[in-house]
Amino acid sequence: MACCVDSAVAPPGHADAGDTSIPSPVPFLSYNAAAVTAAVANSESSHWSPAHSSAIYRIDEWGAPYFSVNSSGNVVVRPYGTGSLAHQEIDLLKIVKKVSDPKSAGGLGLRLPLIVRLPDVLKNRVESLHSAFESAIQAQCYESHYQGVYPVKCNQDRLVAEDIVKFGAPFRFGLEAGSKPELLLAMSCLCKGNPEALLVCNGFKDAEYVSLALIAKKLALNTVIVLEQEEEVNLVIDLSNKLSVRPVIGVRAKLRTKHSGHFGSTSGEKGKFGLTTTQILRLVKKLQDSGMLDCLQLLHFHIGSQIPSTALLQDGVVEATQIYSELVRLGACMKVIDIGGGLGIDYDGSKSGNSDLSVSYGLEEYASAVVNAIRIICDRRSIKHPIICSESGRAIVSHHSILIFEAISATVNTPAMNQIDLPLIIEGLSEDARCDYWNLSDAAMRHENETCLLYADQLKQRCVEQFIEGSLRIEQLADVDGLFDLVSKVIGAAEPARIYNVNLSIFTSIPDFWSIGQVFPIVPIHRLDEKPEVRGVLSDLTCDSDGKIDKFIGGETSLLLHELEGNDGGANGRYYLGMFLGGAYQEALGGVHNLFGGPNVVSVLQSDGPQSFAVTRVVPGPSCADVLRMMQHEPELMFETLKHRAEEFHVEDHDNDGTNYATLISSIARSFHNMPYLKALSPCSYEEVHNAAAEFGASEDEQWSYCYA
């Protein structure tokens, strides 16, 4: 530590605790460490490029082939993956500008947070998955075909499900449901799909569920009722006879193969779902006795989500194919092997097979491993190759959805030396604290960095004790805190991560982080041509200590970020972050903690226009009134109550503070109408407020008609 005090003023040696003769303190004098650090940073920043940012955030590892950084330092979407051309790239910052700009400036006038859906990416994922299996089938001379299903539990949004059915129609791509409402959703969507597309009915079932699945079969949907519990077979036999429907039945096998990660808890002999070999044999006997063994046509299994390696995948597929072969031997009319989900996502770009955040394979390796394992067993046992079905949800929808939110403030930097009032610190110190101060000064002159930090810490702790006792003022304590932070920074001690406050609810928009510690890539979507030099953690708007993100990809406990500035040259001084690969589960699992509802959602397609994109649909996020209704409140009655309260307390037409009665009531109405999230400060005229009040109580379509492009 190259900082010192004036030797003519400071004591020549360690201070004596009994010496109360304290000369006037002087600031630390030395080279300006902060200036040097800034100079070095500026020098390095002059050579900083978007490629450097791409490397530190691992964008090319987890984001390929859909995300990259352009020459302006903005994250762009490559909507067609490897087939995207340069002019087809979509700049995320331009989307944010289009969505958040006021309507008078050609924007949509919506607030962040924002979910950007990319149907082009979704289509590419469906096509890529099918292509990977078709390539493996052709390369290995497999004598059947692949047709997948999308498990709607991953994202039940209507547009997502409808798009997958539409994009997958050429490939007979179907849907999987695990509950009655999901089954209704799937039935409706598949009415417009390929007639050969599978409707796989999983999950626990009662008579109503089974009846609904049998009705789907009557409606000429290619329905398979998968038995997850042994007793379900009785329902299927009885109800199919009553409804005169010949069902197609599948059975879920409880495999011995299990993976040890967090997502493997539903696999293995003690898994939640599926039948053991003993139960499968009883099922076969019951179907045979009922004359329905020919209805058993599909074998389903699920090793668990995020299967880390193809070695584990092959183990499970081999075991399942042996069970499939035995069912054929026992007389079942088997046609399909459903390998379930498990096709993983590389969230951190590590390509590791030893992590819940990554997988060591790509689509092609996955498909090849599945086809190879099934082919070998079937050929060995002289069994016709079955149709291969998979329930890949996470792998299909994760990439197509991006959550964009804004950092609205951050904790301040370490104070400068001239901001610390050293005479004020000394004024009320105890003798021991004064001793620590002078020992700190002496250590500074002798460049003893560790000793400096020791005495600075002791000084801080003694001052905290004095403050609690009431003998130190808050101004003095604040200066001591500043001095400690300054000493820590100058000697190069690890500076604690700064807190970036973000306009977001983690419980609503990233629930997997809070609930299971799932880490997603989070990256600034702009300013990547500048060097990020601040270590930060993210704190959300909720009044909850768990409402923070302090774990990031790469095992980091903080994220490199940029200083918040008044003007960054492209986003009007705002700082936008994106959470990527979150298209699966987050929206369905999100709650309304602190009554923060979901974000606004926009669908964006690549276009040949000047911006390279078009916003094709906007779905507004819930207003304050909407989230209050979720909790059984009645916003209209609440508004009337508050209005009567204002009248009861004789709020005059013009209050002493200039508040107009109509303006007050309009402000209340406007709050019901707006989203719960924070809004950037901007002048708001009386007319705007009055218009907002007039809109409250109008129909939803009337309120939001401007949103639909």
Side-chain angles (χ1 to χ4, degrees), residues 69 202 307 311:
V69 183
N202 288 335
I307 297 173

Side-chain angles (χ1 to χ4, degrees), residues 517-681:
Q518 173 70 47
V519 178
F520 297 91
I522 296 177
V523 178
I525 66 165
H526 61 131
R527 295 181 62 184
L528 297 180
D529 54 344
E530 306 171 31
K531 184 179 181 181
E533 298 186 281
V534 180
R535 282 278 172 188
V537 297
L538 308 180
S539 177
D540 76 356
L541 296 180
T542 64
C543 302
D544 197 304
S545 58
D546 285 335
K548 63 180 180 181
I549 301 178
D550 54 5
K551 294 178 182 177
F552 303 89
I553 63 171
E556 298 288 344
T557 55
S558 61
L559 184 67
L560 273 171
L561 298 167
H562 304 84
E563 289 279 3
L564 300 186
E565 299 176 356
N567 187 348
D568 64 17
N572 298 321
R574 298 184 176 180
Y575 192 52
Y576 300 113
L577 301 167
M579 188 273 280
F580 296 80
L581 308 185
Y585 298 108
Q586 302 317 295
E587 293 169 63
L589 293 176
V592 288
H593 187 28
N594 267 165
L595 296 187
F596 285 106
N600 290 309
V601 181
V602 297
S603 293
V604 176
L605 286 173
Q606 191 275 327
S607 77
D608 294 329
Q611 300 291 336
S612 298
F613 72 89
V615 177
T616 58
R617 186 178 293 268
V618 176
V619 180
S623 67
C624 290
D626 293 331
V627 293
L628 286 165
R629 287 190 189 96
M630 293 178 193
M631 306 306 293
Q632 311 308 314
H633 295 280
E634 299 183 39
E636 290 78 14
L637 293 180
M638 296 166 69
F639 174 69
E640 289 301 319
T641 298
L642 294 171
K643 184 177 178 181
H644 292 154
R645 179 77 167 188
E647 294 170 351
E648 178 185 351
F649 279 83
H650 307 292
V651 177
E652 300 296 337
D653 195 38
H654 288 285
D655 258 355
N656 293 333
D657 62 358
T659 302
N660 180 286
Y661 171 77
T663 303
L664 184 148
I665 297 302
S666 298
S667 295
I668 295 173
R670 183 167 171 262
S671 293
F672 276 109
H673 174 75
N674 285 336
M675 291 180 71
Y677 294 96
L678 303 187
K679 182 179 182 181
L681 294 177

Side-chain angles (χ1 to χ4, degrees), residues 180-201:
K180 285 179 277 190
E182 288 186 351
L183 178 53
L184 289 166
L185 179 163
M187 290 168 63
S188 175
C189 288
L190 286 173
C191 286
K192 298 179 180 179
N194 189 310
E196 295 182 49
L198 290 168
L199 170 53
V200 176
C201 302

